[in-house]
Amino acid sequence: MTSTDTTRRGEVSIRDLSKSFAINGRPLAVLKGLNLDIRSGECLVIVGASGSGKTTLLRVLAGLEAADGGRVLIDGAPVQGVGTDRAVIFQEPRLLPWLTVLGNVAFGLEVRGEQRARAEERARDYIGLVGLGEFADAYPKQLSGGMAQRVGIARALTVQPEILLLDEPLGALDAMTKITMQEELARIWSEENVTMIMVTHDLEEAVYLADRVLVLPKEKGAAARLIDIDLPRPRDRSEPRFVRYREELLREFGLH
Amino acid sequence: MSLQHIEQPSVLGAGIGDNSYGHELVQRGSQAAARFLSRYGALLGFLALWQVSSTRGWVNPAVIPPLDAIVVALWTGVVGGALLDDIAISLQRSGTAFAAAVVVAIPLGLFMGQVRAVERAFDPILQVFRQTSALALYPIFILLLGLGEASKVFVIFWATLFPLLLNTIGGVKEVDPKLIEMARVYGATRLTVFRRVVLPGAVPSIFVGLRLSATTALLLLIASEMIGANKGVGFQVMNAQYNFQIPLMFAAIVLLAGLGLLSNYALVLLQRRLCRWSSATA
């Protein structure tokens, strides 16, 4: 699953990006003049107060929303709608209840025109990767929240995207499951050689996973802050430097 | 590291204790009997009360005949063949109407549920039609189509159309837009989204419509056969009453109830097959 061509694969360049929504007929700026370069294979975590536009940014990158102004380039080409180079993991697993785990994980590939047998073969690999090998024939109803989210992750990985977009993927999980899933995500990211862009409101999660943390400003048009997380992996949450990064992020929110 | 030890699947069969085999059989037998009684006890009690009331003369047995007389009438009617023609023509009428409703309502409902503008434009007229009793319209259908088969089939068709159509539309509209968005993210075309997400998502609701429509079909069948018919189970109910063959009348009523139960059961079985994932309930 490693690519031989590591140059400009899953590289994102955002230039002067703006996006606003109409609220009661009046436009409300959500993103304004954002500039950002995301390196190939890095893990960028986006944090920000609610309303700072982090989910909107992710949806623009996914091609689910069109930008009002500015450009988003992926590997040099402008984003036009959804694309096979990207996969999205949502906060909810969004599994099709009438398909088994195997059917759900193979779904993405099948939709892209892969034959069922081949899609399921590859799906099995990724079901194993997320630790659900024994549950390939289970239906979503039979899974816990954490397991269901693993299925969603496996489905996204099965299409072997260059960029994995995660919108608060662990936000709905309990604290215990969340920590385990953070470890899983870190492992998957290191094994899959994929650019990972993740939105979260959990600052510890951000420090645990990110190469860089993007802090979106609350005041529109203000510069977004980028914080390098210069820590060895796997990361230790109790290490003083880890704690310092977390405090630094808290300060960004004016909370410390 | 993974969580397999902590996360257990929420449904898996519970282990069975280590009782001896015979003991277990007896226990299972009594459990089954208790289940049967708790489910059908009230029905059996009702039938027993009926039989006793009629034979003891608590009610007029000429109006409410004992069950054995009804069973005999049913038996001679069905085995003797006297009622077979009626059953055949009734099934043909309601079956034709039901099939026509399925053929019209499901594709139309799938289309209307998908296209919001169409659904919005037609919803008011659908609501008006739905609330207008098909029986009240029957005289008009007779004027338009005559007193023969056409008006009978049409009135049943009309009444069965709306529950199915509205449930199909509702089923399509209630498909989770988040699932549709998920499919789009993977590059699904409109057709693929429809085939792989919308259609399977709407199936449970379509089945609710099918079962409502099947019940309605039998209901309207009787009504339509009570006017200007000379055959059919509904006709037999009326005819037996005119001729004061009360056991035969009840036999025809029992037959209708049986047809209703049977069609519902068939649909439930089909639904279970198609929707194993949602654990369909009867």
Side-chain angles (χ1 to χ4, degrees):
Chain A
M1 289 162 218
T2 41
S3 163
T4 46
D5 171 29
T6 48
T7 54
R8 289 169 68 87
R9 190 174 176 275
E11 204 174 79
V12 183
S13 154
I14 297 168
R15 289 289 168 271
D16 201 24
L17 181 71
S18 297
K19 174 77 184 171
S20 52
F21 290 104
I23 306 288
N24 297 330
R26 282 173 41 204
L28 177 79
V30 181
L31 292 169
K32 204 169 165 189
L34 180 72
N35 289 295
L36 178 68
D37 286 299
I38 302 169
R39 299 188 284 258
S40 170
E42 91 164 301
C43 179
L44 180 90
V45 175
I46 304 166
V47 297
S50 53
S52 62
K54 47 192 195 296
T55 289
T56 303
L57 174 57
L58 202 80
R59 290 176 65 85
V60 169
L61 291 173
L64 287 169
E65 309 267 2
D68 297 336
R71 291 187 309 162
V72 177
L73 302 176
I74 292 181
D75 297 341
V79 167
Q80 284 162 327
V82 297
T84 53
D85 51 353
R86 281 154 287 155
V88 185
I89 295 168
F90 300 96
Q91 179 168 7
E92 326 78 24
R94 301 199 187 184
L95 305 181
L96 298 172
W98 49 88
L99 295 181
T100 60
V101 166
L102 181 64
N104 268 291
V105 176
F107 178 81
L109 267 187
E110 273 182 59
V111 157
R112 290 183 181 181
E114 187 64 85
Q115 285 179 339
R116 172 160 298 177
R118 292 200 50 190
E120 289 187 348
E121 195 186 317
R122 211 199 292 174
R124 281 189 193 280
D125 290 344
Y126 284 96
I127 292 170
L129 183 78
V130 298
L132 288 178
E134 293 160 59
F135 297 100
D137 297 320
Y139 283 95
K141 251 192 162 179
Q142 299 168 285
L143 305 175
S144 69
M147 291 164 93
Q149 193 56 291
R150 283 161 193 260
V151 178
I153 293 168
R155 178 177 58 199
L157 293 173
T158 302
V159 299
Q160 297 183 333
E162 290 168 27
I163 301 172
L164 201 53
L165 301 160
L166 303 97
D167 187 8
E168 298 187 27
L170 311 181
L173 301 179
D174 62 86
M176 276 288 293
T177 312
K178 199 170 182 175
I179 287 175
T180 317
M181 293 294 286
Q182 287 165 1
E183 289 166 1
E184 290 271 281
L185 279 177
R187 177 179 66 84
I188 287 165
W189 172 75
S190 66
E191 284 175 17
E192 290 295 309
N193 184 34
V194 64
T195 305
M196 201 154 97
I197 304 171
M198 172 162 152
V199 165
T200 186
H201 51 237
D202 182 330
L203 299 182
E204 184 179 305
E205 184 170 293
V207 178
Y208 187 79
L209 288 169
D211 289 323
R212 291 188 298 166
V213 178
L214 176 74
V215 185
L216 286 178
K218 203 159 187 188
E219 317 84 53
K220 305 300 163 190
R225 271 261 291 162
L226 263 175
I227 297 169
D228 280 288
I229 308 294
D230 187 15
L231 289 175
R233 293 174 191 267
R235 289 175 178 166
D236 176 358
R237 294 167 204 266
S238 57
E239 196 202 337
R241 284 188 296 163
F242 188 102
V243 177
R244 272 203 298 279
Y245 275 121
R246 209 175 141 264
E247 283 167 357
E248 185 180 347
L249 280 176
L250 274 172
R251 268 197 302 280
E252 289 290 329
F253 287 86
L255 290 171
H256 204 76
Chain B
M1 178 171 169
S2 90
L3 248 203
Q4 275 134 300
H5 320 290
I6 297 166
E7 291 176 24
Q8 291 291 325
S10 53
V11 274
L12 273 184
I16 294 163
D18 43 17
N19 288 327
S20 75
Y21 187 63
H23 185 160
E24 193 181 302
L25 264 187
V26 170
Q27 209 173 28
R28 276 200 191 165
S30 66
Q31 270 173 1
R35 257 205 312 276
F36 179 83
L37 268 186
S38 70
R39 181 137 170 81
Y40 295 106
L43 177 63
L44 289 174
F46 168 72
L47 292 177
L49 183 68
W50 181 325
Q51 179 70 12
V52 171
S53 314
S54 186
T55 48
R56 289 290 180 84
W58 298 346
V59 295
N60 184 354
V63 179
I64 312 281
L67 294 176
D68 56 276
I70 297 170
V71 171
V72 169
L74 187 63
W75 180 262
T76 47
V78 174
V79 178
L83 282 175
L84 285 182
D85 274 358
D86 297 300
I87 296 171
I89 190 101
S90 287
L91 282 179
Q92 192 190 324
R93 282 169 185 149
S94 52
T96 309
F98 183 68
V102 168
V103 168
V104 173
I106 293 182
L108 191 64
L110 290 174
F111 174 71
M112 288 178 68
Q114 288 257 89
V115 188
R116 221 178 126 55
V118 177
E119 199 263 332
R120 274 182 60 85
F122 283 91
D123 186 59
I125 192 169
L126 275 182
Q127 296 299 340
V128 170
F129 280 165
R130 184 176 73 135
Q131 298 298 336
T132 311
S133 161
L135 279 178
L137 295 173
Y138 190 31
I140 298 167
F141 298 150
I142 291 174
L143 287 176
L144 289 172
L145 299 167
L147 204 47
E149 289 304 299
S151 63
K152 288 183 179 46
V153 171
F154 192 81
V155 74
I156 302 170
F157 164 77
W158 183 261
T160 50
L161 184 67
F162 294 102
L164 190 49
L165 183 59
L166 289 163
N167 276 287
T168 305
I169 293 171
V172 171
K173 278 170 65 184
E174 273 161 33
V175 172
D176 188 353
K178 288 180 168 175
L179 291 180
I180 294 171
E181 188 182 72
M182 180 279 296
R184 274 184 53 216
V185 163
Y186 287 101
T189 58
R190 258 188 94 91
L191 184 68
T192 307
V193 169
F194 175 74
R195 210 169 50 80
R196 301 281 324 252
V197 181
V198 175
L199 192 57
V203 163
S205 181
I206 292 175
F207 265 97
V208 172
L210 282 172
R211 285 163 65 185
L212 274 172
S213 284
T215 308
T216 312
L218 287 171
L219 214 71
L220 267 285
L221 171 74
I222 308 318
S224 71
E225 285 181 344
M226 285 179 174
I227 303 171
N230 53 19
K231 260 199 175 61
V233 183
F235 163 75
Q236 284 301 348
V237 175
M238 286 306 274
N239 197 47
Q241 192 234 335
Y242 283 141
N243 300 324
F244 219 71
Q245 299 168 288
I246 301 303
L248 180 64
M249 185 190 83
F250 273 105
I253 292 173
V254 169
L255 210 56
L256 285 165
L259 286 178
L261 286 172
L262 216 68
S263 64
N264 191 54
Y265 184 66
L267 284 169
V268 168
L269 278 187
L270 185 65
Q271 183 175 15
R272 285 222 183 109
R273 273 199 76 102
L274 287 175
C275 309
R276 257 170 300 185
W277 53 275
S278 75
S279 62
T281 46

